[in-house]
Amino acid sequence: MGTTWPGQGKGVIAVRVGVPRTLSYFSFYPLWKALFEGVGAEVVVSPPSNKELMDAGVRETVNDACVPIKLYHGHVEALKDKVDILFLPRLVSLDGKVTLCPKFLGLPDMVRYSIAGLPELIDLRLDLKKGRHELYRFLYRVGRRFTGNRARIAAAIRAARYNIQRYRKLLLQGLTPEEAFSLLENGHAANRREKGAGIKLAVLGYPYALYDDYVSVRLLEKLRLQGVDVVTPDMVAEPALRRMGKSLPKNLFWYYSNRVVWACLYYLRDYSVDGIIHVTAFGCGPDAMTNKLIELEAKHSRQVPFMTVTIDEHTGEAGVETRVEAFVDLLKRKKGLL
Amino acid sequence: MQIFLGIDVGSVSTNMVAINEQGEVVVSLYLRTRGQPIKAVQEGIRRVGEELHGSKYVVRGVGTTGSARTLSGIIVGADTVKNEITAHAVAASYLLPGVRTVLEVGGQDSKIILLRDGIVVDFAMNTVCAAGTGSFLDHQAARLNIPIEEFGGLALQSKSPVRIAGRCSVFAESDMIHKQQMGHPIPDIIAGLCDALVRNYLNNVGKGKDIQSPVVFQGGVAANVGIRAAFEKALGLEITVPKYFDVMGAIGAALLARSAVRDKQESSFRGFEVSEMEYQASSFECQGCPNLCEIVNIHVDGKILARWGGRCGKWETLKKTG
């Protein structure tokens, strides 16, 4: 399909924008979606991660990248022939203080030089270190790629911000991203989960590792099937997270890593969880620090049981299952529930 | 007599025990799995049945564990199916009350379990890499043409063990060949290998763990006196190898079965006839989505008994509806 935009009028087929269903998708999809639809584009999301996408990603990506980055390449591969524009923003800083993992910063370049036959890219830079109006400016610039109508872009940005706020509220209530997306879209979500049978676990990790069922080998679901109440970093309200950050002598340099450490401190502060599981991708640079920090905090300072689950492209379900089952058994026996 | 069966099907060995209601071991078996877990379980069940023959008993409960725990659980009709970490911890704390550290080295995996006051407080298990487990020792023994039973004894004869890289079994093997071509005597090489394996275990599985006495060493590799001596040397602690070191997982499974059937009228055990039944496994690749999961069917006498292997669970559900 040719580049027929910006002809957003009656009878014109909408421009299709591709959004990979991984990495920042789990944090920002409702924002992107409302924005694109507000400016008249059609949003196309890649399918949920699967073996085919993983294989394609492993094939295309530099060898020493982590699984989530490889998978991202697979998602791009799946989208590139189905859309007119690919949305691969360069996310630099989301809180105006620290940056994301360096791989996020270089992502548009990695993709551009690894994958041939890409459609037009939106790889605008989002760096909130430039000031608190930078998000608006970023969204505006994205909107300008689709329409020249300023009022229309402004309305789309308002809708987008409203949508992301509602989304974050739903996450705080304990919904998983996919549950929240479907609630925002269709107005109804899956049945509310029943309360667990007495064990509460904090499962910490980056959204793209926790909520991608293919990557995490359905870890959250497995825990819930064992009657575990699962809490994640996304279920801690922003102000509470920030307070935890202030209690540390020094914070880490990476956005998502800080959130994991702060959430860990939050759940440990009043011993409200029975144990902590850290989900980390094999070879993750920032996690070399993050994992050690939260392990020291949990196991050594507070004697709360802690386990690391490492995932890579060869992760078998059996190994994760055995460890998780044993970990839950340990907690149940400790509490006298078994 | 009330009997509880424990079945531990691992990659290398299939172990079975029968315990009575007092928790005493009546029968204990150690078989090689030889890549055929179904056959091994059937053979084991047959032999346990023979050993018990003539005594008045009733099987009150069955528990399975090990990497083939789901498969063996379906075959025998288990009352409880538990992971091997829990099973080993239960057995160790039951047979050796007061134990604080369990070192377990099996065929394909190795684990460490820390207990305090009879409760597991921490554990670790090797990840994908099987360097420094029983199958590697097996392989090296075969390469040197030494029966695995004599392997440990030879290590004890060594005066000055050579240093061998234990990080990776491929590197370890080339290191061993190098040392052997340099003219080092076999006992020194084997003792060096034992040291390397223990070093690797303590650096990986035992990393950062607070290893306190009393320490128990179990699993098939505990039969190897060379490894045991290397552990004592590295830790500076006395190490106990329990009487039933090679069937501890099975004992744990039997004990778990005993508590699982406490408020149950009858065991789900399918009887000793399972050794005679025709079990077959077949597999196919599901084409339902790009994940292409490999689905396994377990048939008994032509009927599908169970199915697993899918990521989405749709094949598993079919089992319940028919």
Side-chain angles (χ1 to χ4, degrees), chain A residues 50-52 213-214 217-218 299 306-307 317 322-323 325-327 329-330 333-334 338, chain B residues 69 81-86 90 119-120 122-123 125-127 209 256 290-292 310-311:
Chain A
N50 58 46
K51 193 167 158 191
E52 198 179 293
D213 280 345
Y214 188 81
V217 286
R218 292 184 292 153
K299 224 157 83 181
F306 174 84
M307 182 172 72
E317 284 205 62
T322 300
R323 283 175 184 77
E325 192 188 304
F327 191 68
D329 276 356
L330 170 170
R333 288 186 163 259
K334 206 172 154 190
L338 214 74
Chain B
R69 58 184 179 277
V81 177
K82 263 284 173 247
N83 65 83
E84 51 272 34
I85 297 169
T86 305
V90 165
I119 288 171
V120 178
D122 200 4
F123 66 84
M125 193 173 165
N126 64 333
T127 42
K209 299 273 182 278
L256 286 164
N291 281 333
L292 306 178
R311 272 178 172 256

mmCIF file of all heavy atoms in Angstrom, chain A residues 50-52 213-214 217-218 299 306-307 317 322-323 325-327 329-330 333-334 338, chain B residues 69 81-86 90 119-120 122-123 125-127 209 256 290-292 310-311:
data_model
loop_
_atom_site.group_PDB
_atom_site.id
_atom_site.type_symbol
_atom_site.label_atom_id
_atom_site.label_comp_id
_atom_site.label_asym_id
_atom_site.label_seq_id
_atom_site.Cartn_x
_atom_site.Cartn_y
_atom_site.Cartn_z
ATOM 1 N N ASN A 50 4.578 -15.507 20.548
ATOM 2 C CA ASN A 50 4.516 -16.957 20.365
ATOM 3 C C ASN A 50 5.837 -17.431 19.784
ATOM 4 O O ASN A 50 6.756 -16.652 19.562
ATOM 5 C CB ASN A 50 3.335 -17.334 19.459
ATOM 6 C CG ASN A 50 3.432 -16.664 18.097
ATOM 7 O OD1 ASN A 50 4.491 -16.656 17.474
ATOM 8 N ND2 ASN A 50 2.330 -16.094 17.633
ATOM 9 N N LYS A 51 5.912 -18.731 19.581
ATOM 10 C CA LYS A 51 7.160 -19.342 19.150
ATOM 11 C C LYS A 51 7.664 -18.753 17.834
ATOM 12 O O LYS A 51 8.852 -18.517 17.661
ATOM 13 C CB LYS A 51 6.903 -20.840 18.987
ATOM 14 C CG LYS A 51 8.130 -21.684 18.851
ATOM 15 C CD LYS A 51 7.729 -23.130 19.033
ATOM 16 C CE LYS A 51 8.691 -24.104 18.432
ATOM 17 N NZ LYS A 51 8.089 -25.450 18.427
ATOM 18 N N GLU A 52 6.721 -18.531 16.906
ATOM 19 C CA GLU A 52 7.104 -18.015 15.604
ATOM 20 C C GLU A 52 7.760 -16.638 15.734
ATOM 21 O O GLU A 52 8.803 -16.373 15.136
ATOM 22 C CB GLU A 52 5.835 -17.925 14.751
ATOM 23 C CG GLU A 52 6.060 -17.830 13.281
ATOM 24 C CD GLU A 52 4.714 -17.766 12.553
ATOM 25 O OE1 GLU A 52 3.984 -18.775 12.588
ATOM 26 O OE2 GLU A 52 4.400 -16.706 12.002
ATOM 27 N N ASP A 213 2.690 -13.704 28.558
ATOM 28 C CA ASP A 213 2.565 -15.095 28.992
ATOM 29 C C ASP A 213 3.565 -16.018 28.322
ATOM 30 O O ASP A 213 3.930 -17.045 28.873
ATOM 31 C CB ASP A 213 1.145 -15.615 28.718
ATOM 32 C CG ASP A 213 0.183 -15.157 29.793
ATOM 33 O OD1 ASP A 213 0.663 -14.710 30.848
ATOM 34 O OD2 ASP A 213 -1.032 -15.237 29.570
ATOM 35 N N TYR A 214 3.994 -15.660 27.122
ATOM 36 C CA TYR A 214 4.956 -16.527 26.455
ATOM 37 C C TYR A 214 6.320 -16.412 27.130
ATOM 38 O O TYR A 214 6.999 -17.404 27.369
ATOM 39 C CB TYR A 214 5.077 -16.171 24.970
ATOM 40 C CG TYR A 214 5.907 -17.167 24.221
ATOM 41 C CD1 TYR A 214 5.351 -18.361 23.790
ATOM 42 C CD2 TYR A 214 7.259 -16.940 23.977
ATOM 43 C CE1 TYR A 214 6.107 -19.309 23.137
ATOM 44 C CE2 TYR A 214 8.032 -17.887 23.317
ATOM 45 C CZ TYR A 214 7.448 -19.061 22.903
ATOM 46 O OH TYR A 214 8.210 -20.010 22.266
ATOM 47 N N VAL A 217 6.361 -17.880 30.773
ATOM 48 C CA VAL A 217 5.742 -19.209 30.807
ATOM 49 C C VAL A 217 4.552 -19.265 31.778
ATOM 50 O O VAL A 217 4.440 -20.156 32.603
ATOM 51 C CB VAL A 217 6.745 -20.364 31.072
ATOM 52 C CG1 VAL A 217 7.577 -20.639 29.853
ATOM 53 C CG2 VAL A 217 7.654 -20.083 32.254
ATOM 54 N N ARG A 218 3.665 -18.293 31.634
ATOM 55 C CA ARG A 218 2.403 -18.220 32.379
ATOM 56 C C ARG A 218 2.613 -18.274 33.895
ATOM 57 O O ARG A 218 1.872 -18.933 34.617
ATOM 58 C CB ARG A 218 1.462 -19.348 31.941
ATOM 59 C CG ARG A 218 0.967 -19.168 30.513
ATOM 60 C CD ARG A 218 -0.023 -20.234 30.155
ATOM 61 N NE ARG A 218 0.639 -21.541 30.090
ATOM 62 C CZ ARG A 218 0.032 -22.685 30.296
ATOM 63 N NH1 ARG A 218 -1.227 -22.704 30.619
ATOM 64 N NH2 ARG A 218 0.689 -23.813 30.200
ATOM 65 N N LYS A 299 15.978 -10.931 51.568
ATOM 66 C CA LYS A 299 16.421 -12.120 52.278
ATOM 67 C C LYS A 299 17.271 -11.779 53.483
ATOM 68 O O LYS A 299 17.110 -12.358 54.551
ATOM 69 C CB LYS A 299 17.227 -12.991 51.314
ATOM 70 C CG LYS A 299 16.853 -14.447 51.415
ATOM 71 C CD LYS A 299 17.184 -15.202 50.175
ATOM 72 C CE LYS A 299 18.627 -15.635 50.132
ATOM 73 N NZ LYS A 299 18.894 -16.361 48.880
ATOM 74 N N PHE A 306 12.897 -15.387 49.154
ATOM 75 C CA PHE A 306 13.106 -14.707 47.875
ATOM 76 C C PHE A 306 13.542 -15.732 46.844
ATOM 77 O O PHE A 306 14.319 -16.625 47.146
ATOM 78 C CB PHE A 306 14.187 -13.639 48.048
ATOM 79 C CG PHE A 306 14.586 -12.963 46.780
ATOM 80 C CD1 PHE A 306 13.847 -11.899 46.304
ATOM 81 C CD2 PHE A 306 15.689 -13.392 46.056
ATOM 82 C CE1 PHE A 306 14.198 -11.266 45.118
ATOM 83 C CE2 PHE A 306 16.051 -12.768 44.874
ATOM 84 C CZ PHE A 306 15.298 -11.696 44.411
ATOM 85 N N MET A 307 13.031 -15.604 45.645
ATOM 86 C CA MET A 307 13.476 -16.498 44.583
ATOM 87 C C MET A 307 13.585 -15.732 43.267
ATOM 88 O O MET A 307 12.775 -14.856 42.988
ATOM 89 C CB MET A 307 12.504 -17.655 44.412
ATOM 90 C CG MET A 307 12.950 -18.638 43.339
ATOM 91 S SD MET A 307 11.961 -20.142 43.266
ATOM 92 C CE MET A 307 10.473 -19.497 42.574
ATOM 93 N N GLU A 317 8.970 -24.945 30.509
ATOM 94 C CA GLU A 317 7.972 -24.729 31.543
ATOM 95 C C GLU A 317 8.261 -25.577 32.773
ATOM 96 O O GLU A 317 8.010 -25.161 33.888
ATOM 97 C CB GLU A 317 6.583 -25.084 31.010
ATOM 98 C CG GLU A 317 6.042 -24.039 30.086
ATOM 99 C CD GLU A 317 4.525 -24.060 30.049
ATOM 100 O OE1 GLU A 317 3.887 -23.823 31.087
ATOM 101 O OE2 GLU A 317 4.001 -24.312 28.982
ATOM 102 N N THR A 322 8.605 -26.455 38.575
ATOM 103 C CA THR A 322 9.145 -27.139 39.753
ATOM 104 C C THR A 322 9.566 -26.136 40.817
ATOM 105 O O THR A 322 9.228 -26.274 41.995
ATOM 106 C CB THR A 322 10.362 -27.997 39.347
ATOM 107 O OG1 THR A 322 9.933 -28.948 38.397
ATOM 108 C CG2 THR A 322 10.959 -28.706 40.530
ATOM 109 N N ARG A 323 10.279 -25.091 40.400
ATOM 110 C CA ARG A 323 10.767 -24.119 41.366
ATOM 111 C C ARG A 323 9.625 -23.353 42.023
ATOM 112 O O ARG A 323 9.605 -23.146 43.227
ATOM 113 C CB ARG A 323 11.712 -23.140 40.686
ATOM 114 C CG ARG A 323 13.064 -23.719 40.445
ATOM 115 C CD ARG A 323 13.923 -22.737 39.663
ATOM 116 N NE ARG A 323 15.195 -23.352 39.345
ATOM 117 C CZ ARG A 323 15.359 -24.236 38.383
ATOM 118 N NH1 ARG A 323 14.338 -24.597 37.640
ATOM 119 N NH2 ARG A 323 16.548 -24.770 38.161
ATOM 120 N N GLU A 325 6.487 -24.219 42.292
ATOM 121 C CA GLU A 325 5.698 -25.092 43.166
ATOM 122 C C GLU A 325 6.432 -25.290 44.496
ATOM 123 O O GLU A 325 5.820 -25.219 45.571
ATOM 124 C CB GLU A 325 5.483 -26.431 42.456
ATOM 125 C CG GLU A 325 4.443 -27.333 43.099
ATOM 126 C CD GLU A 325 4.422 -28.711 42.469
ATOM 127 O OE1 GLU A 325 4.249 -28.798 41.238
ATOM 128 O OE2 GLU A 325 4.580 -29.697 43.205
ATOM 129 N N ALA A 326 7.741 -25.520 44.418
ATOM 130 C CA ALA A 326 8.510 -25.740 45.646
ATOM 131 C C ALA A 326 8.512 -24.480 46.509
ATOM 132 O O ALA A 326 8.428 -24.550 47.733
ATOM 133 C CB ALA A 326 9.946 -26.154 45.303
ATOM 134 N N PHE A 327 8.590 -23.328 45.863
ATOM 135 C CA PHE A 327 8.618 -22.062 46.597
ATOM 136 C C PHE A 327 7.291 -21.840 47.326
ATOM 137 O O PHE A 327 7.265 -21.464 48.499
ATOM 138 C CB PHE A 327 8.899 -20.917 45.626
ATOM 139 C CG PHE A 327 9.216 -19.600 46.286
ATOM 140 C CD1 PHE A 327 10.383 -19.434 47.006
ATOM 141 C CD2 PHE A 327 8.352 -18.522 46.174
ATOM 142 C CE1 PHE A 327 10.685 -18.218 47.603
ATOM 143 C CE2 PHE A 327 8.643 -17.311 46.763
ATOM 144 C CZ PHE A 327 9.816 -17.153 47.478
ATOM 145 N N ASP A 329 5.165 -24.188 48.166
ATOM 146 C CA ASP A 329 5.114 -25.198 49.231
ATOM 147 C C ASP A 329 5.848 -24.726 50.475
ATOM 148 O O ASP A 329 5.377 -24.872 51.596
ATOM 149 C CB ASP A 329 5.783 -26.500 48.756
ATOM 150 C CG ASP A 329 4.827 -27.367 47.975
ATOM 151 O OD1 ASP A 329 3.649 -26.977 47.875
ATOM 152 O OD2 ASP A 329 5.253 -28.408 47.471
ATOM 153 N N LEU A 330 7.039 -24.166 50.225
ATOM 154 C CA LEU A 330 7.871 -23.669 51.328
ATOM 155 C C LEU A 330 7.083 -22.654 52.159
ATOM 156 O O LEU A 330 7.050 -22.725 53.393
ATOM 157 C CB LEU A 330 9.126 -23.052 50.710
ATOM 158 C CG LEU A 330 10.206 -22.225 51.371
ATOM 159 C CD1 LEU A 330 11.332 -22.074 50.391
ATOM 160 C CD2 LEU A 330 9.784 -20.894 51.853
ATOM 161 N N ARG A 333 4.085 -24.342 53.998
ATOM 162 C CA ARG A 333 4.502 -25.134 55.156
ATOM 163 C C ARG A 333 4.920 -24.221 56.299
ATOM 164 O O ARG A 333 4.664 -24.499 57.460
ATOM 165 C CB ARG A 333 5.678 -26.046 54.786
ATOM 166 C CG ARG A 333 5.232 -27.163 53.914
ATOM 167 C CD ARG A 333 6.321 -28.169 53.649
ATOM 168 N NE ARG A 333 5.692 -29.372 53.159
ATOM 169 C CZ ARG A 333 5.464 -30.442 53.907
ATOM 170 N NH1 ARG A 333 5.882 -30.478 55.154
ATOM 171 N NH2 ARG A 333 4.847 -31.480 53.407
ATOM 172 N N LYS A 334 5.556 -23.139 55.935
ATOM 173 C CA LYS A 334 6.007 -22.186 56.951
ATOM 174 C C LYS A 334 4.813 -21.607 57.696
ATOM 175 O O LYS A 334 4.853 -21.377 58.895
ATOM 176 C CB LYS A 334 6.765 -21.067 56.233
ATOM 177 C CG LYS A 334 7.788 -20.373 57.089
ATOM 178 C CD LYS A 334 8.599 -19.440 56.231
ATOM 179 C CE LYS A 334 9.156 -18.318 57.072
ATOM 180 N NZ LYS A 334 9.732 -17.279 56.245
ATOM 181 N N LEU A 338 -0.050 -26.388 55.081
ATOM 182 C CA LEU A 338 0.063 -27.650 54.366
ATOM 183 C C LEU A 338 0.326 -28.777 55.358
ATOM 184 O O LEU A 338 1.182 -28.635 56.212
ATOM 185 C CB LEU A 338 1.233 -27.539 53.365
ATOM 186 C CG LEU A 338 1.065 -28.292 52.076
ATOM 187 C CD1 LEU A 338 0.058 -27.572 51.192
ATOM 188 C CD2 LEU A 338 2.394 -28.336 51.329
ATOM 189 N N ARG B 69 7.026 -36.850 37.270
ATOM 190 C CA ARG B 69 6.012 -37.085 38.306
ATOM 191 C C ARG B 69 4.588 -37.091 37.764
ATOM 192 O O ARG B 69 3.764 -37.887 38.209
ATOM 193 C CB ARG B 69 6.145 -36.048 39.431
ATOM 194 C CG ARG B 69 6.032 -34.593 38.981
ATOM 195 C CD ARG B 69 6.270 -33.665 40.173
ATOM 196 N NE ARG B 69 6.206 -32.256 39.824
ATOM 197 C CZ ARG B 69 7.198 -31.551 39.314
ATOM 198 N NH1 ARG B 69 8.354 -32.148 39.078
ATOM 199 N NH2 ARG B 69 7.058 -30.269 39.048
ATOM 200 N N VAL B 81 0.976 -35.611 43.816
ATOM 201 C CA VAL B 81 2.064 -35.434 42.849
ATOM 202 C C VAL B 81 2.819 -34.195 43.287
ATOM 203 O O VAL B 81 2.251 -33.102 43.300
ATOM 204 C CB VAL B 81 1.505 -35.248 41.421
ATOM 205 C CG1 VAL B 81 2.613 -34.987 40.432
ATOM 206 C CG2 VAL B 81 0.700 -36.458 40.995
ATOM 207 N N LYS B 82 4.059 -34.362 43.698
ATOM 208 C CA LYS B 82 4.794 -33.222 44.268
ATOM 209 C C LYS B 82 6.154 -33.045 43.622
ATOM 210 O O LYS B 82 6.757 -34.013 43.176
ATOM 211 C CB LYS B 82 5.013 -33.463 45.764
ATOM 212 C CG LYS B 82 3.997 -32.777 46.646
ATOM 213 C CD LYS B 82 4.246 -31.287 46.776
ATOM 214 C CE LYS B 82 3.112 -30.639 47.518
ATOM 215 N NZ LYS B 82 2.273 -29.737 46.843
ATOM 216 N N ASN B 83 6.625 -31.807 43.603
ATOM 217 C CA ASN B 83 7.954 -31.539 43.060
ATOM 218 C C ASN B 83 9.028 -32.175 43.940
ATOM 219 O O ASN B 83 8.830 -32.413 45.122
ATOM 220 C CB ASN B 83 8.169 -30.026 42.958
ATOM 221 C CG ASN B 83 8.175 -29.380 44.312
ATOM 222 O OD1 ASN B 83 9.178 -29.367 45.010
ATOM 223 N ND2 ASN B 83 7.030 -28.885 44.745
ATOM 224 N N GLU B 84 10.198 -32.405 43.335
ATOM 225 C CA GLU B 84 11.238 -33.156 44.023
ATOM 226 C C GLU B 84 11.913 -32.358 45.145
ATOM 227 O O GLU B 84 12.498 -32.929 46.059
ATOM 228 C CB GLU B 84 12.265 -33.685 43.030
ATOM 229 C CG GLU B 84 12.852 -32.677 42.055
ATOM 230 C CD GLU B 84 12.025 -32.521 40.778
ATOM 231 O OE1 GLU B 84 10.779 -32.634 40.847
ATOM 232 O OE2 GLU B 84 12.619 -32.247 39.722
ATOM 233 N N ILE B 85 11.829 -31.038 45.083
ATOM 234 C CA ILE B 85 12.459 -30.249 46.151
ATOM 235 C C ILE B 85 11.712 -30.472 47.459
ATOM 236 O O ILE B 85 12.305 -30.778 48.501
ATOM 237 C CB ILE B 85 12.480 -28.748 45.784
ATOM 238 C CG1 ILE B 85 13.331 -28.538 44.522
ATOM 239 C CG2 ILE B 85 13.020 -27.907 46.931
ATOM 240 C CD1 ILE B 85 13.223 -27.170 43.902
ATOM 241 N N THR B 86 10.389 -30.360 47.397
ATOM 242 C CA THR B 86 9.586 -30.588 48.589
ATOM 243 C C THR B 86 9.754 -32.028 49.086
ATOM 244 O O THR B 86 9.916 -32.265 50.281
ATOM 245 C CB THR B 86 8.104 -30.294 48.282
ATOM 246 O OG1 THR B 86 7.996 -28.965 47.772
ATOM 247 C CG2 THR B 86 7.244 -30.416 49.507
ATOM 248 N N VAL B 90 11.083 -33.088 52.781
ATOM 249 C CA VAL B 90 10.212 -33.820 53.704
ATOM 250 C C VAL B 90 10.919 -35.065 54.216
ATOM 251 O O VAL B 90 10.931 -35.342 55.418
ATOM 252 C CB VAL B 90 8.886 -34.187 52.992
ATOM 253 C CG1 VAL B 90 8.117 -35.241 53.766
ATOM 254 C CG2 VAL B 90 8.034 -32.944 52.802
ATOM 255 N N ILE B 119 11.722 -26.734 58.950
ATOM 256 C CA ILE B 119 10.982 -26.045 57.900
ATOM 257 C C ILE B 119 11.954 -25.532 56.848
ATOM 258 O O ILE B 119 13.017 -24.998 57.179
ATOM 259 C CB ILE B 119 10.159 -24.883 58.491
ATOM 260 C CG1 ILE B 119 8.978 -25.468 59.271
ATOM 261 C CG2 ILE B 119 9.666 -23.944 57.400
ATOM 262 C CD1 ILE B 119 8.225 -24.449 60.064
ATOM 263 N N VAL B 120 11.594 -25.727 55.581
ATOM 264 C CA VAL B 120 12.442 -25.242 54.490
ATOM 265 C C VAL B 120 12.440 -23.718 54.514
ATOM 266 O O VAL B 120 11.376 -23.099 54.491
ATOM 267 C CB VAL B 120 11.909 -25.721 53.126
ATOM 268 C CG1 VAL B 120 12.766 -25.186 52.000
ATOM 269 C CG2 VAL B 120 11.856 -27.231 53.076
ATOM 270 N N ASP B 122 14.970 -21.972 52.552
ATOM 271 C CA ASP B 122 15.550 -21.526 51.286
ATOM 272 C C ASP B 122 15.961 -22.753 50.485
ATOM 273 O O ASP B 122 16.251 -23.803 51.058
ATOM 274 C CB ASP B 122 16.768 -20.631 51.555
ATOM 275 C CG ASP B 122 17.125 -19.765 50.354
ATOM 276 O OD1 ASP B 122 16.386 -19.810 49.355
ATOM 277 O OD2 ASP B 122 18.138 -19.049 50.422
ATOM 278 N N PHE B 123 15.982 -22.608 49.178
ATOM 279 C CA PHE B 123 16.450 -23.711 48.346
ATOM 280 C C PHE B 123 16.970 -23.133 47.049
ATOM 281 O O PHE B 123 16.702 -21.981 46.717
ATOM 282 C CB PHE B 123 15.336 -24.715 48.068
ATOM 283 C CG PHE B 123 14.228 -24.155 47.224
ATOM 284 C CD1 PHE B 123 14.323 -24.139 45.843
ATOM 285 C CD2 PHE B 123 13.100 -23.615 47.816
ATOM 286 C CE1 PHE B 123 13.309 -23.599 45.068
ATOM 287 C CE2 PHE B 123 12.085 -23.087 47.050
ATOM 288 C CZ PHE B 123 12.188 -23.073 45.671
ATOM 289 N N MET B 125 18.200 -24.659 42.913
ATOM 290 C CA MET B 125 18.300 -25.814 42.026
ATOM 291 C C MET B 125 19.100 -25.356 40.822
ATOM 292 O O MET B 125 19.009 -24.197 40.429
ATOM 293 C CB MET B 125 16.879 -26.185 41.615
ATOM 294 C CG MET B 125 16.727 -27.506 40.948
ATOM 295 S SD MET B 125 14.957 -27.792 40.773
ATOM 296 C CE MET B 125 14.999 -29.112 39.610
ATOM 297 N N ASN B 126 19.905 -26.245 40.249
ATOM 298 C CA ASN B 126 20.686 -25.829 39.091
ATOM 299 C C ASN B 126 19.754 -25.425 37.957
ATOM 300 O O ASN B 126 18.642 -25.925 37.854
ATOM 301 C CB ASN B 126 21.635 -26.939 38.641
ATOM 302 C CG ASN B 126 20.913 -28.175 38.151
ATOM 303 O OD1 ASN B 126 19.796 -28.442 38.567
ATOM 304 N ND2 ASN B 126 21.531 -28.917 37.268
ATOM 305 N N THR B 127 20.205 -24.498 37.129
ATOM 306 C CA THR B 127 19.370 -24.092 35.995
ATOM 307 C C THR B 127 19.626 -25.051 34.840
ATOM 308 O O THR B 127 20.026 -26.178 35.071
ATOM 309 C CB THR B 127 19.657 -22.629 35.611
ATOM 310 O OG1 THR B 127 21.055 -22.429 35.660
ATOM 311 C CG2 THR B 127 18.980 -21.685 36.565
ATOM 312 N N LYS B 209 24.534 -19.248 50.034
ATOM 313 C CA LYS B 209 23.697 -19.962 50.999
ATOM 314 C C LYS B 209 24.472 -20.187 52.295
ATOM 315 O O LYS B 209 25.665 -20.456 52.289
ATOM 316 C CB LYS B 209 23.262 -21.314 50.415
ATOM 317 C CG LYS B 209 22.438 -21.185 49.151
ATOM 318 C CD LYS B 209 20.970 -21.012 49.479
ATOM 319 C CE LYS B 209 20.127 -20.921 48.233
ATOM 320 N NZ LYS B 209 20.106 -19.579 47.626
ATOM 321 N N LEU B 256 4.454 -37.829 51.893
ATOM 322 C CA LEU B 256 3.452 -36.856 51.449
ATOM 323 C C LEU B 256 2.133 -37.550 51.142
ATOM 324 O O LEU B 256 1.061 -37.023 51.432
ATOM 325 C CB LEU B 256 3.964 -36.101 50.215
ATOM 326 C CG LEU B 256 5.046 -35.055 50.497
ATOM 327 C CD1 LEU B 256 5.753 -34.652 49.214
ATOM 328 C CD2 LEU B 256 4.440 -33.825 51.166
ATOM 329 N N PRO B 290 0.712 -20.418 16.234
ATOM 330 C CA PRO B 290 2.127 -20.517 15.854
ATOM 331 C C PRO B 290 3.044 -21.105 16.927
ATOM 332 O O PRO B 290 4.221 -21.292 16.699
ATOM 333 C CB PRO B 290 2.513 -19.056 15.568
ATOM 334 C CG PRO B 290 1.242 -18.328 15.366
ATOM 335 C CD PRO B 290 0.230 -19.025 16.204
ATOM 336 N N ASN B 291 2.530 -21.377 18.118
ATOM 337 C CA ASN B 291 3.402 -21.956 19.143
ATOM 338 C C ASN B 291 3.791 -23.399 18.838
ATOM 339 O O ASN B 291 4.799 -23.883 19.336
ATOM 340 C CB ASN B 291 2.715 -21.901 20.514
ATOM 341 C CG ASN B 291 2.813 -20.531 21.126
ATOM 342 O OD1 ASN B 291 3.749 -19.785 20.837
ATOM 343 N ND2 ASN B 291 1.862 -20.175 21.949
ATOM 344 N N LEU B 292 2.969 -24.094 18.042
ATOM 345 C CA LEU B 292 3.252 -25.471 17.643
ATOM 346 C C LEU B 292 3.666 -26.341 18.825
ATOM 347 O O LEU B 292 4.738 -26.949 18.830
ATOM 348 C CB LEU B 292 4.362 -25.497 16.576
ATOM 349 C CG LEU B 292 4.151 -24.638 15.333
ATOM 350 C CD1 LEU B 292 5.358 -24.740 14.414
ATOM 351 C CD2 LEU B 292 2.899 -25.051 14.568
ATOM 352 N N GLY B 310 0.637 -28.714 26.133
ATOM 353 C CA GLY B 310 0.229 -27.473 25.484
ATOM 354 C C GLY B 310 0.406 -26.270 26.378
ATOM 355 O O GLY B 310 0.391 -26.390 27.591
ATOM 356 N N ARG B 311 0.579 -25.120 25.745
ATOM 357 C CA ARG B 311 0.703 -23.904 26.518
ATOM 358 C C ARG B 311 -0.667 -23.340 26.891
ATOM 359 O O ARG B 311 -0.802 -22.650 27.883
ATOM 360 C CB ARG B 311 1.461 -22.835 25.720
ATOM 361 C CG ARG B 311 2.945 -22.928 25.906
ATOM 362 C CD ARG B 311 3.671 -21.888 25.062
ATOM 363 N NE ARG B 311 5.079 -21.899 25.419
ATOM 364 C CZ ARG B 311 5.656 -20.982 26.172
ATOM 365 N NH1 ARG B 311 4.955 -19.985 26.660
ATOM 366 N NH2 ARG B 311 6.936 -21.049 26.444
#
